[in-house]
């Protein structure tokens, strides 16, 4: 008989083994910077790593942070997880630890990630290479040349392109390289890259993990041996999550599964309605049977997610008019919250790219990216229909 593996909803609630001395069902906020010891010998046990324990909050040695990290690890089927003050802080610590021999980024990525890879890391002498999802033929040569970290998002932003986690991991491991997946868009409810062969998962916990547009945080999950050197970078970069935020994020994780499943259902309904709408040229959503990534999504995902993009028939200005006419979808460049959001990539997330570069990446000026929240799907569809009829 195999060992019983807990389901994701149970892991979200019981992911931490930490108990409160007073019987609180949740680890409280330890709003303290330092922890006192009964003796020097006991202090040294923790300092030298012979015993686990709280010591200093910037190190991450604080019970509110331990509790969060245990749950984060459980949700991604990881040995360990480190929490950070933002998604970018998690990525920076990962790249500085495991990307120094070169990073290959596949496909579209978050704007901050692309800027870090193309503008900042090269200043430190780190070689970075960005290839598109249809340029995978270049991957072997870059790995043979010494790059030791492959990084990608799937589904990507904003075209929801699917990248094959299992296949990329097999190629990278042949060269002794490691694979990191930014799992922000899918969340562990819809996709668990470590189960498919990836070595690291990184999250902007600001999005689905937080889920209420009220906190900024990041997370990195993986094998303990791979994460230990990242711990020192996080410690000395000072990019630790605050105990208050850790507690708020732990609170959010308890409802992650129900939130994301509801968002999956609503996004599917919105995508199907938009797919039939005469004023929409194209819908990008992995849950649509005619979407190019649908088969791969069925294989590597457990749900199709709450993110979709629609291409309005007409120009960028026509899409802007639709975005401005929406009432329930707020015009804001984030995602994953309880409230639905809309952004026009050419004016926000991909504004920094030239029109030619956007075209090369398949990002039309008439594209709108939707983050489907927790409102009733029928009301979201009605809102889109009224905005499209103006
Ligand atoms: C928002 C986002 C990030 C950056 O996260 P922050 O928490 O804002 O630092 C990284 N990757 C993806 C896919 C994102 O959406």
């Amino acid at each position: 008989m195999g060992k019983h593996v807990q389901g994701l909803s149970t892991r979200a609630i019981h992911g931490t083994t930490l108990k409160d001395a007073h019987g609180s069902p949740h680890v409280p906020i330890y709003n303290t910077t330092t922890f006192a010891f009964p003796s020097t010998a006991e202090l040294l046990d923790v300092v030298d790593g012979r015993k686990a324990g709280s010591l200093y909050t910037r190190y991450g040695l604080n019970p509110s942070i331990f509790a969060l990290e245990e749950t984060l690890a459980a949700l991604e089927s990881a040995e360990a997880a480190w929490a950070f003050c933002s998604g970018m802080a998690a990525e920076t610590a990962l790249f500085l630890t495991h990307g120094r021999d070169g990073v290959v980024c596949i496909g579209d990525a978050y704007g901050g990630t692309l800027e870090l890879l193309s503008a900042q890391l090269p200043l430190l002498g780190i070689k970075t290479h960005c290839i598109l999802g249809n340029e995978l033929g270049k991957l072997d040569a870059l790995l043979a040349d010494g790059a030791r970290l492959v990084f990608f998002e799937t589904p990507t932003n904003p075209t929801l392109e699917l990248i094959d986690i299992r296949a990329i991991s097999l190629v990278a491991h042949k060269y002794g390289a490691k694979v990191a997946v930014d799992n922000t868009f899918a969340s562990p409810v819809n996709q668990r890259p470590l189960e498919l062969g990836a070595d690291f998962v990184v999250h902007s916990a600001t999005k689905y993990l937080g889920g209420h547009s009220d906190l900024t945080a990041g997370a990195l999950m993986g094998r303990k041996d791979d994460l230990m050197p990242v711990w020192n970078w996080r410690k000395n970069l000072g990019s630790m999550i605050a105990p208050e935020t850790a507690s708020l994020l732990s609170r959010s994780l308890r409802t992650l599964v129900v939130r994301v499943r509801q968002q999956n259902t609503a996004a599917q309904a919105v995508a199907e309605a938009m797919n039939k709408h005469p004023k929409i040229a194209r819908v990008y959503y992995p849950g649509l049977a005619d979407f190019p990534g649908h088969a791969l999504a069925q294989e590597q995902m457990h749900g199709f997610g709450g993110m979709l993009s629609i291409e309005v028939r007409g120009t960028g200005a026509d899409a802007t008019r639709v975005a401005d006419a929406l009432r329930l979808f707020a015009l804001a460049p984030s995602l994953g919250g309880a409230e639905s959001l809309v952004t026009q990539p050419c004016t926000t997330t991909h504004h920094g790219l030239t029109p030619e570069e956007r075209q090369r990446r398949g990002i039309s000026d008439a594209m709108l990216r939707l983050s489907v929240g927790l409102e009733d799907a029928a009301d979201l569809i009605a809102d889109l229909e009224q905005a499209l009829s103006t």
Side-chain angles (χ1 to χ4, degrees), residues 86-88 91 110 113 153 182 184-185 204-207 216-217 335:
S86 71
M88 287 310 300
E91 287 185 37
Y110 179 71
T113 306
E153 299 177 14
D182 182 335
T184 302
F185 260 45
S204 169
T206 312
K207 313 296 168 49
T216 301
L335 58 118

Side-chain angles (χ1 to χ4, degrees), residues 214-256:
D214 60 0
L215 66 85
T216 301
L220 179 70
M221 295 81 159
R223 269 178 234 101
K224 198 143 200 181
D225 284 351
D226 290 333
L227 288 197
M228 278 322 296
V230 185
W231 194 87
N232 288 301
W233 278 100
R234 177 183 67 169
K235 182 180 81 168
N236 294 327
L237 288 168
S239 48
M240 178 46 58
I241 193 169
E244 297 95 324
T245 311
S247 177
L248 190 59
L249 181 51
S250 288
R251 191 286 315 263
S252 292
L253 292 179
R254 291 193 273 273
T255 57
L256 176 71

Side-chain angles (χ1 to χ4, degrees), residues 15 67 70 93 146 248 289 292 325 327 333 339 343 369 372:
E70 280 190 315
L248 190 59
R327 296 184 194 127
E339 50 289 308
T343 64
R369 188 191 79 185
V372 173

Side-chain angles (χ1 to χ4, degrees), residues 261-329:
R261 286 190 184 147
Q262 173 60 31
Q263 281 162 317
N264 291 346
T265 305
Q268 182 78 37
V270 171
E272 283 171 12
M274 290 300 100
N275 214 20
K276 288 192 287 231
H277 199 288
K279 288 205 177 160
I280 295 296
R282 204 168 154 191
V283 179
Y284 300 78
Y285 186 65
L288 293 176
D290 60 358
F291 186 70
H294 181 63
L296 180 54
Q298 277 183 313
E299 233 178 88
Q300 71 180 13
M301 299 182 79
H302 307 281
F304 300 119
M307 298 299 300
L308 69 141
S309 292
I310 56 176
E311 216 173 280
V312 174
R313 278 195 207 284
T315 63
D318 292 319
T320 301
R321 264 194 297 279
V322 174
D324 288 346
L326 285 165
R327 296 184 194 127
L328 284 180
F329 285 87

Side-chain angles (χ1 to χ4, degrees), residues 6 9-17 71:
Q6 275 183 348
S9 300
T10 307
R11 288 189 241 170
I13 313 284
H14 298 283
T16 177
T17 55
T71 308

Side-chain angles (χ1 to χ4, degrees), residues 43 69 107 111 116-117 165 206 229 258 276 301 303 317 319 322-323 343 349 361 376 386 388:
L43 180 144
E69 290 179 336
L116 178 65
L117 288 170
I165 299 170
T206 312
V258 283
K276 288 192 287 231
M301 299 182 79
V322 174
T343 64
T349 52
R361 291 169 178 269
D376 292 288
Q386 69 74 23
L388 284 163

Side-chain angles (χ1 to χ4, degrees), residues 54-135:
S54 296
L55 177 67
Y56 190 65
T57 290
R58 177 172 49 78
Y59 294 6
L61 302 180
N62 174 306
S64 301
I65 298 171
F66 291 144
L68 168 66
E69 290 179 336
E70 280 190 315
T71 308
L72 288 170
L75 286 170
E76 283 287 2
S77 304
E79 266 179 34
W82 302 148
F84 290 83
C85 60
S86 71
M88 287 310 300
E91 287 185 37
T92 303
L94 169 70
F95 291 141
L96 291 176
T97 312
H98 290 284
R100 292 199 302 276
D101 294 328
V103 182
V104 183
C105 177
I106 302 172
D108 245 304
Y110 179 71
T113 306
L114 291 178
E115 193 181 334
L116 178 65
L117 288 170
S118 61
Q120 274 99 46
L121 293 181
L123 297 176
L124 305 177
I126 297 176
K127 284 195 205 156
T128 61
H129 315 271
C130 293
I131 61 174
L132 294 185
N134 59 10
E135 298 174 329

Side-chain angles (χ1 to χ4, degrees), residues 191-215:
Q191 179 170 274
R192 290 183 293 283
L194 301 179
E195 294 176 1
L196 300 167
D199 303 282
F200 299 102
V201 166
V202 58
H203 274 280
S204 169
T206 312
K207 313 296 168 49
Y208 285 100
L209 300 185
H212 297 72
S213 308
D214 60 0
L215 66 85

